Amino acid sequence: MGQADQAPAARARTRGKQPRSNPTPKAGRNLPAAVVVGLAMLFAVLGGLLLLPLAFVAVTTTFAIFGVWEVYRALEANGTRMPIVPVMTGTVAMPFAAYFGGIESLLFAMLLSSVAVLLWRSIESAAGSANSIFAGVFTLGWVPFFISFAALPLHAAGGATPLGLWPGGSVPEGAWQVAVMLLLVVSNDTFGYLVGASLGKHPMAPKISPKKSWEGFAGSVGGAMLIGILACLFVLDKPWWVGVVLAVGLVAASTAGDLAESMVKRELGIKDMSSILPGHGGVMDRLDSIVFASPVAFVLYGLVAGA
């Protein structure tokens, strides 16, 4: 090869070696997009929660609808077709049942939705009916039933005015409880990501979620404890140790939810439930922690109510 031919080749090799900006760090997210989308979702949810509770329930229901649709499509791609009509009907009904009727109405809505799945599937062909019914009931319990626990403290707060506003403009304790729960879930993700991306060396569950490390989990616990203590002292008017209990319980629940969704995705052979949220993946990739944290928070708040 002549000198004239070598120069273009050398330039090509040099261009190939030039560093390119990559917004996706080793933790696997497009960080700028993830931060923008995450903050927008957080402000929308907290704004509805503190100003217009019915809007919060509507937003929660919308997220649940998208989450169920993602699960439906993922299962369908793997040969399991769940009865989407009764499942979606139950998904819409459960958060509003929890808000207007409390725990009894939520349980009744879950039971009625499960029966509707069974009856709907019984009029179709028998082939694959067992898997279809199981998928429908499982999805109802996993997404709309669990996430509806976030609306239960709003019902316990006495409900809003007919316009959906809090009476007198004062935000009740139940709404602040939900807000603190959401902040602790965000703290779990944020501190776990920051510590895990920089210091993570020991995988927590390498066969399920290779990027989740014990160092990241420790960061989640420490960061959530700090947020939980501050929230209890300045927002909930509770002793500092309540913040520690809430932080540890919700970090454990959030981590379990994340690992549970990772197991489902691994069984289905997919990386993300969808790509609807830039930097996050699918809606279920954001709800995985919240759906487990919501019932745990409801139970923990009940246990420390007299503190």
Side-chain angles (χ1 to χ4, degrees), residues 36-238:
V36 172
V37 172
L39 288 176
M41 293 170 60
L42 179 63
F43 285 133
V45 171
L46 289 180
L49 176 63
L50 301 179
L51 300 176
L52 195 66
L54 271 178
F56 168 77
V57 178
V59 170
T60 301
T61 304
T62 301
F63 283 144
I65 289 172
F66 277 106
V68 168
W69 181 253
E70 289 174 350
V71 175
Y72 168 74
R73 293 188 62 183
L75 290 173
E76 187 179 37
N78 280 265
T80 300
R81 188 176 182 85
M82 70 178 181
I84 189 62
V85 173
V87 171
M88 276 297 185
T89 303
T91 299
V92 174
M94 276 191 251
F96 287 98
Y99 176 71
F100 288 109
I103 185 67
E104 295 84 1
S105 295
L106 175 59
L107 292 173
F108 181 74
M110 176 62 191
L111 176 62
L112 197 62
S113 300
S114 301
V115 173
V117 167
L118 178 62
L119 294 177
W120 186 280
R121 194 59 183 83
S122 67
I123 64 176
E124 299 179 353
S125 62
S129 59
N131 287 341
S132 180
I133 293 171
F134 175 79
V137 176
F138 170 79
T139 303
L140 283 169
W142 182 25
V143 186
F145 179 69
F146 276 0
I147 203 173
S148 294
F149 276 83
L152 286 176
L154 306 185
H155 169 77
T161 65
L163 294 178
L165 302 171
W166 291 119
S170 59
V171 180
E173 183 180 359
W176 287 117
Q177 289 177 353
V178 179
V180 170
M181 181 270 289
L182 293 174
L183 288 176
L184 288 176
V185 171
V186 172
S187 300
N188 166 75
D189 290 343
T190 303
F191 288 101
Y193 173 81
L194 293 175
V195 176
S198 57
L199 302 177
K201 294 180 180 179
H202 299 87
M204 176 181 288
K207 293 184 178 180
I208 300 174
S209 183
K211 293 185 176 69
K212 189 171 290 296
S213 65
W214 284 108
E215 291 83 359
F217 179 75
S220 294
V221 173
M225 285 175 61
L226 174 62
I227 300 300
I229 291 173
L230 293 175
C232 282
L233 292 178
F234 296 105
V235 177
L236 298 180
D237 193 24
K238 297 287 185 182

